[in-house]
Amino acid sequence: MDNLISLVNKIQRACTALGDHGEASALPTLWDSLPAIAVVGGQSSGKSSVLESIVGKDFLPRGSGIVTRRPLVLQLHKSDEGSREYAEFLHLPRKRFTDFAAVRKEIQDETDRETGRSKQISSVPIHLSIYSPNVVNLTLIDLPGLTKVAVEGQPESIVQDIENMVRSYIEKPNCIILAISPANQDLATSDAIKISREVDPTGERTLGVLTKIDLMDKGTDAVDILEGKAYRLKFPWVGVVNRSQADINKNVDMIAARRREREYFASTPEYRHLAQRMGSEHLAKVLSKHLETVIKSRIPGIQSLINKTITELETELSRLGKPVAADAGGKLYTIMEICRLFDQNFREHLDGVRTGGDKVYNVFDNQLPAALKRLQFDRQLSMENIRKLITEADGYQPHLIAPEQGYRRLIESTLVTIRGPAEAAVDAIHSILKDLVHKAMSETPELKQYPALRVEVGNAAIESLERMRDQSRKATLQLVDMECCYLTVEFFRKLPQDADKGGSATQSIFDRYNDSYLRRIGTTVLSYVNMVCATLRHSIPKSIVYCQVREAKRSLLDFYYTDLGKLEQKRLSALLNEDPAIMERRSALAKRLELYRSAQAEIDTVAWSK
């Protein structure tokens, strides 16, 4: 049992140190899933005295009105017999308090630091751990006492503020409610019972404690309450007799007070039959045993939450990326690895693993053919232009059989218009590749982690694409120029046959420049140009893929890699200059993941040993 509660205490301390607790949060955390005992009661109900009796030390601030103005998370750790008692505050790590009067003062001082020297309250808890051979392993949360009216120096909302704070703790299903009620007041007016009943109507989570039994009016007793007849809870009521104010003033120690408490119940006729389950010592054992039972019942739920949270933390850490290496070699490796991931994402777009690569084929299959079809050859092949070019090509000597030079000039002037669609195809592919670069960058989380590297890699990739575009434009336009400078002979060897079929040779020789003759030349040129367009429709994509798409896949960042190897460590560090908020977030997540993994291992061990 002690090991189980000690484990929970350890996890709670670690959760608190990492801020992984949900006092003011609706989100489930590991802290919320761990059972704890919240001490609830009205002002002057004897809460502080009960806690001191359980601990066996006088360490809590005292006074009139609201004394507890911040939640006090009190963790008790049973140490070896004969070991020295001491206390530690979470906000003062590595400082041990062996003087419990100093503990009281520090609680008061820490409260004032948060709330000022006023009667205001704060929901920010104080965390105190006490190590002693005279305690049981236990976690208790002492909450501000419930009140019905605001006193001077307090806002009117203080009553509701305290109630809301108390509810934020006891509404949690894993919270055990220790309801403190004074025996010398009517139980029907008990603040602790009233609020406990509202959040735990069946009494499954409520343990009732009756204080000030020795201060009841003569002729009255609390037997009906302690026997569960006046107000029944699932668990038996426990009565305690606290130190009187006179005892406190005389510094009567807790050991003597506990002895007198045992004697009171054993010697008082009304309570003698209940003496075995009365008193502070019995209460501490009951709480410890009940806490162990609740912890055991919650282990499956705790394990489930831990496993789920570990998965979420690992995912988040993976998204944030690894921390930066300290040495130059490590930094260079990190940059190269990030570039490799980006390059891989880019290639996957082109290869169809990711979306976007299909747009390249759309340019070749739709955009380029449509552009070629839209070419208008009317101006180049008009009667006037044909007559003009044929005549100019003949010079001072008219052609004898076929106007070969005229054909060449007509074909060249017509084919040159194909350069426009060819260049447009090159630019369209360049635009698509640029878009894929931006997509790949946004899909590489590591680049988001390092903004300076993201900019540099993006610029390097675009510069590389521009070089490839220029080379592709040159090669593609060369294809068009090749068609212009060397015509396909086989096509024209058919012309005499076609001429014989189309008209008389006499007419073609002696009436060379009539409309019918020129129209036949224009038709021949148009047929040849259409043949060339059909050829270029297939060869232009080949050139573009070879010069742009293939090269982008093979060597998008090659120039950048060359420059990268020449950079000094200072420049490498600048590229990996990470957002401080991300660094802080990663560190916090790593610590939390370590906590959850440790908790997972230890809780699994306990679960298997049950």
Side-chain angles (χ1 to χ4, degrees), residues 195-261:
I195 197 169
S196 298
R197 183 186 293 171
E198 291 174 4
V199 299
D200 181 33
T202 62
E204 296 282 332
R205 298 187 288 117
T206 304
L207 294 170
V209 176
L210 205 60
T211 62
K212 304 186 179 181
I213 293 176
D214 55 328
L215 302 181
M216 295 181 71
D217 293 338
K218 288 185 179 182
T220 62
D221 60 58
V223 172
D224 284 350
I225 297 174
L226 295 174
E227 289 182 345
K229 296 175 182 178
Y231 184 78
R232 180 174 295 278
L233 295 171
K234 181 178 179 180
F235 305 100
W237 282 80
V238 178
V240 297
V241 174
N242 299 327
R243 291 182 301 166
S244 65
Q245 189 59 48
D247 291 338
I248 294 171
N249 293 339
K250 294 177 183 177
N251 293 323
V252 174
D253 64 51
M254 290 298 179
I255 296 176
R258 285 178 177 177
R259 184 176 63 251
R260 287 168 58 177
E261 183 184 43

Side-chain angles (χ1 to χ4, degrees), residues 256-319:
R258 285 178 177 177
R259 184 176 63 251
R260 287 168 58 177
E261 183 184 43
R262 288 194 299 269
E263 291 172 356
Y264 173 83
F265 285 111
S267 62
T268 303
E270 293 84 355
Y271 306 118
R272 189 176 295 138
H273 67 293
L274 301 171
Q276 292 301 314
R277 58 182 182 88
M278 295 293 119
S280 307
E281 290 179 292
H282 176 73
L283 175 61
K285 293 175 183 177
V286 167
L287 291 176
S288 187
K289 185 171 181 59
H290 183 62
L291 182 59
E292 177 216 7
T293 302
V294 173
I295 290 171
K296 283 184 176 179
S297 70
R298 298 289 193 274
I299 282 180
I302 295 172
Q303 288 175 307
S304 177
L305 175 63
I306 288 176
N307 293 337
K308 178 183 177 184
T309 307
I310 285 175
T311 301
E312 291 173 351
L313 290 172
E314 288 175 339
T315 301
E316 177 71 1
L317 277 171
S318 176
R319 187 186 67 81

Side-chain angles (χ1 to χ4, degrees), residues 81-148:
E81 287 295 331
S83 60
R84 191 173 187 182
E85 298 173 306
Y86 66 92
E88 288 182 339
F89 288 94
L90 184 66
H91 64 272
L92 293 174
R94 298 181 297 277
K95 182 176 181 180
R96 291 187 176 185
F97 291 78
T98 54
D99 180 359
F100 282 83
V103 172
R104 182 191 307 112
K105 184 177 185 305
E106 181 57 33
I107 293 174
Q108 185 63 56
D109 291 346
E110 178 62 14
T111 299
D112 290 344
R113 292 184 196 111
E114 182 68 28
T115 63
R117 293 185 176 274
S118 65
K119 295 182 180 179
Q120 300 288 337
I121 64 167
S122 170
S123 61
V124 179
I126 298 172
H127 294 267
L128 172 64
S129 295
I130 294 178
Y131 300 80
S132 169
N134 302 318
V135 299
V136 294
N137 288 310
L138 203 55
T139 295
L140 299 161
I141 305 172
D142 185 22
L143 297 170
L146 296 161
T147 184
K148 293 181 173 61

Side-chain angles (χ1 to χ4, degrees), residues 377 381 407-408 410-412 414-415 418 480-493 495 520-536:
F377 302 124
L381 300 180
Y407 269 111
R408 290 185 182 279
L410 277 171
I411 291 171
E412 288 173 7
T414 305
L415 288 181
I418 301 176
V480 179
D481 295 342
M482 287 175 193
E483 295 291 346
C484 294
C485 70
Y486 188 80
L487 306 185
T488 303
V489 177
E490 286 76 8
F491 179 88
F492 292 96
R493 284 176 179 168
L495 286 178
R520 188 163 62 252
I521 291 174
T523 302
T524 302
V525 170
L526 181 61
S527 296
Y528 183 80
V529 169
N530 286 336
M531 181 194 73
V532 172
C533 282
T535 301
L536 290 176

